DNA sequence: CAGTTTAGTCAGGAGTCTTGCCTAAAGACT
DNA sequence: AGTCTTTAGGCAAGACTCCTGACTAAACTG
């Protein structure tokens, strides 16, 4: 049965949920405001607020209304409601943030990690950052949302290396690392997936339910958004396109990652793309650069064609250090326009999209956690 | 706000929903049974059943319990609750069925249509079948679920022809045709999508949330199931793989449908595959047949590799007149095993899967319709 | 034929939401 | 300065829903 059993308890918890959601959306409100906003009667809100305040979930902020009429008491979420940890792990380093239920940045910690940093060092940096943030936040860190620049196993949250694909961060198990520091859930996903969510939330794909986000940077990735959500697949490896067969420089089929190898654009001793080298050979107006751009654009279009056939997106978004380059995007557009089933191509807009996406989700999960706690909390 | 406003009405409608769901699942039950099954108290169920019976949604079946104890009254959905139309439209003809809220087949109508049948004839056959079934069903046809052997536009429900892809049924707009005959929703989807849902419901993919169903018959299609649901994409054209680039007979890349053209396996004056010819050249133990099987299997594997990269399925299901052939499946398995990211391949199990899938959905939608009506019905 | 079992039914009570009204207190108006 | 208006807070009564617990009716059991 998908629907809960009818009971007066259920009714009351629905009321409480409405009150909490109203406060999460608007920061501080008087009880009369909440009643007007939710459409629930004043006495009911009055009771609910009293319940939640007694349970310690809400608190009188001490502020009072000014203006005509009787003075109103402002209420808001209790200051010790805690925060969510948001972290992005990439070869550029570790960024850790604490976000509250309003989605506001409460604290931030940055750690630069060399490209040669060991897994051990990355793990320690993450644990240290989480510990530092936790100490700063009244209610502690209740949940965590992690973005990693590598494929993430959906079941375990562990970073996984796929054969021959770029592996930028290395073997890491954020769930295990954070387990002693975070009371609740630890959510891990690929940076490209977070970026896609960010573009859908406040970038170039707002309100678009079906699109594909292609990340072309040091790594190669793709997020498939279908019916408004990123679809991760069974193991969480949906969109790992490095091995997808596409058109190579001479027109024969080869895996996408091999195209870069053939062109000598992969970093030494690694399967990561050498972005500086790539930029060097593709920028400029000379014919050689244009030819290289075309070769790369054709390879990318092979991926786009497959994505269109299998996912039928309304839009293709391209991001990443070299993918979002105007000349590159333009070449991809030209090539893609020749495909019998092409769709518009947009450039990713959001700054630090992997963090933006993870932040939004963190606030969301934190809100759910607060509501769940409130529900079970005053059941006693 | 996703959650409904708290009110005593809401509570009551939840109770009614529980009662209805229990009866939909079990056909006939006494009020005491319903109470035990739902966990709701006897007096509450007693009230709810009275309400729903007065509204005409439920009825005393006239049957009584036998055995120890006081005689119980069996209740069930009212006999005039109506049915759902389920129809499958393919070059083989039209099958129309009426299904009740228990998922039982109530009536069936078959119309053979020649391959050369005009759209006009198909449309008339559909309207006639719907009319005939409607006259037989006490409560009429409340909703319709249609399976079509062509791509379906998700927004309009209209069949669409993609350039160069097989177009088996032809331009048809089932929603418009059925509009005067069906009070409620008319749901149209591709036969491959329905088949995938059927395999997930009661076939080889039970309980599997992420898989890909590849249909290899006269047409070429693919359904992508992600997080437990078929993902149709923006226009409903997700999985239209005829134009996906894959390996051709000589190893160069070409669209999947071209592979068949190259091998002379497409029907005259059409882009549909000539299944008889295909079977003729691929069956048998001789080396030529084995070679052709291998060529086709490689082409299919190109599609599978793309699907794995983009959708990360747990399983690949292969169905269709020639795809599900044991020798063919075996060859595909062998070829696919060479891919660095292969997944298990299963053979489709369900008979007439497009109908089975549509039937299940029809029963589901009919149930929802009944619950919605009951909710708004006695609000008066 | 008394005892057991079971569905149906009733009464009372607890809890939730709503309407309507009153009160308090601040600003606006005369 | 005094009265009016506006607005949040607070209270009482009433309608309604669900539940517990007990009772009744009617069948089978031994």
């Amino acid at each position: 049965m998908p629907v809960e059993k009818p009971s007066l308890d259920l009714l009351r918890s629905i009321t409480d949920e409405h009150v909490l959601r109203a406060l999460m959306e608007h920061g501080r409100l008087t009880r009369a405001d909440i009643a007007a906003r939710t459409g629930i009667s004043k006495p009911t809100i009055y009771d609910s607020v009293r319940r939640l305040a007694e349970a310690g979930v809400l608190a009188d902020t001490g502020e009072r209304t000014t203006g005509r009429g009787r003075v109103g008491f402002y209420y808001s979420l209790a200051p010790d409601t805690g925060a969510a940890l948001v972290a992005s792990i990439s070869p550029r380093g570790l960024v850790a943030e604490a976000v509250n239920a309003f989605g506001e940045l409460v604290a931030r910690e940055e750690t630069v990690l060399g490209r040669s940093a060991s897994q051990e060092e990355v793990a320690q940096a993450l644990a240290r950052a989480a510990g530092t943030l936790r100490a700063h936040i009244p209610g502690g860190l209740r949940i965590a949302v992690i973005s990693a620049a590598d494929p993430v196993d959906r079941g375990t949250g562990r970073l996984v290396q796929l054969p021959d694909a770029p592996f930028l961060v290395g073997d890491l198990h954020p769930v295990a690392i954070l387990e002693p520091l975070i009371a609740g859930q630890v959510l891990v996903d690929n940076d490209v997936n977070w970026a896609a969510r960010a573009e859908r939330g406040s970038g170039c794909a707002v309100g678009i339910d079906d699109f594909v986000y292609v990340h072309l940077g040091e790594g190669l990735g793709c997020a498939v958004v279908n019916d408004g959500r990123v679809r991760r697949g069974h193991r969480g490896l949906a969109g790992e396109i490095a091995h997808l067969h596409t058109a190579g420089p001479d027109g024969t089929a080869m895996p996408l990652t091999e195209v870069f190898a053939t062109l000598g654009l992969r970093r030494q001793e690694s399967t990561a793309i050498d972005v500086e080298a790539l930029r060097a050979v593709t920028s400029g107006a000379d014919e050689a650069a244009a030819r290289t751009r075309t070769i790369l654009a054709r390879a990318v279009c092979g991926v786009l064609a497959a994505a269109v056939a299998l996912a039928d997106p309304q839009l293709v978004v391209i991001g990443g250090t070299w993918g979002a380059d105007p000349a590159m995007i333009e070449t991809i557009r030209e090539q893609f326009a020749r495909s019998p089933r092409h769709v518009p191509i947009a450039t990713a807009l959001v700054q630090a999209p992997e963090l933006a996406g993870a932040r939004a989700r963190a606030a969301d999960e934190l809100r759910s956690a607060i509501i769940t706690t409130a529900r079970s909390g005053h059941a006693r």
Side-chain angles (χ1 to χ4, degrees), chain A:
Chain A
M1 300 259 182
V3 187
E4 259 180 285
K5 246 179 68 175
S7 77
L8 296 175
D9 266 21
L10 171 64
L11 216 51
R12 199 183 42 202
S13 77
I14 292 176
T15 304
D16 289 354
E17 180 165 347
H18 274 93
V19 170
L20 286 170
R21 286 202 187 284
L23 282 173
M24 284 164 179
E25 205 174 327
H26 290 94
R28 72 203 223 300
L29 295 169
T30 65
R31 283 168 287 190
D33 282 343
I34 299 173
R37 208 166 274 288
T38 57
I40 300 170
S41 73
K42 281 198 294 170
T44 303
I45 296 299
Y46 176 86
D47 273 359
S48 171
V49 167
R50 190 175 37 69
R51 257 200 309 275
L52 292 169
E54 272 171 18
V57 185
L58 299 187
D60 182 349
T61 63
E63 297 162 296
R64 299 290 178 262
T65 54
T66 60
R68 288 182 88 128
R70 182 170 174 176
V71 215
F73 295 58
Y74 280 111
Y75 283 84
S76 78
L77 295 184
D80 63 346
T81 314
L85 171 68
V86 179
S88 141
I89 310 170
S90 78
R92 290 184 306 285
L94 168 75
V95 180
E97 300 180 342
V99 171
N100 67 15
F102 306 113
E104 293 165 350
L105 191 62
V106 183
R108 186 182 164 100
E109 190 89 359
E110 248 176 284
T111 316
V112 178
L113 293 165
R115 188 176 300 283
S116 56
S118 68
Q119 280 96 300
E120 198 59 34
E121 287 173 282
V122 178
Q124 275 177 12
L126 178 59
R128 191 173 49 237
T132 311
L133 291 177
R134 191 165 80 133
H136 280 265
I137 311 295
L141 296 171
R142 299 182 60 163
I143 59 153
V145 176
I146 312 293
S147 161
D150 274 324
V152 173
D153 183 278
R154 191 179 183 178
T156 62
R158 196 171 198 139
L159 276 53
V160 293
Q161 170 147 36
L162 295 176
D164 249 10
F167 196 48
L168 307 175
V169 174
D171 188 26
L172 199 73
H173 195 181
V175 181
I177 296 166
L178 294 173
E179 216 247 302
L181 295 159
I182 308 284
Q185 207 178 5
V186 176
L187 239 148
V188 190
D189 201 356
N190 186 267
D191 56 348
V192 182
N193 287 345
W194 291 121
R197 293 185 185 105
E199 292 294 340
R200 180 159 188 280
S202 61
C204 63
V206 173
I208 294 186
D209 280 345
D210 300 278
F211 69 96
V212 161
Y213 182 108
V214 178
H215 175 91
L216 304 171
E218 229 177 310
L220 301 165
C222 167
V224 180
V225 176
N226 236 314
D227 294 325
R229 297 188 67 97
V230 170
R231 300 299 163 186
R232 300 179 65 186
H234 175 54
R235 291 173 58 202
L237 304 179
E240 292 301 334
I241 53 176
H243 264 280
L244 195 56
H245 274 67
T246 184
D250 58 351
T252 59
M254 63 170 66
L256 179 60
T257 180
E258 285 302 310
V259 176
F260 299 87
T262 309
L263 295 173
L265 297 177
R266 292 216 307 211
R267 207 179 283 284
Q268 296 291 320
E269 310 278 321
S270 147
T271 48
I273 289 166
D274 188 336
V275 178
E276 286 89 57
L278 188 148
R279 295 200 109 131
V281 295
T282 57
S283 62
D286 57 309
E287 203 181 317
R291 200 162 48 238
T292 311
R293 279 203 300 272
T294 307
I295 289 171
L296 293 178
R298 281 206 185 120
V300 171
C301 283
V303 174
L304 298 189
V308 167
L310 286 164
D312 185 27
Q314 182 178 359
L315 178 75
V316 169
V317 179
I318 297 189
T321 38
W322 59 272
D325 175 86
M328 198 67 230
I329 288 252
E330 207 33 62
T331 316
I332 294 173
R333 272 210 189 94
E334 280 162 23
Q335 291 298 323
F336 194 42
R338 300 184 184 179
S339 162
R341 283 184 63 195
H342 58 258
V343 296
I345 294 184
T347 310
L349 291 179
V350 181
Q351 294 295 312
E354 76 286 358
L355 269 172
R359 252 184 239 128
R361 174 65 165 273
D364 225 61
E365 292 286 334
L366 182 56
R367 289 181 203 128
S368 304
I370 291 169
I371 289 167
T372 310
T373 322
R375 186 178 288 210
S376 61
H378 62 77
R380 42 178 154 84

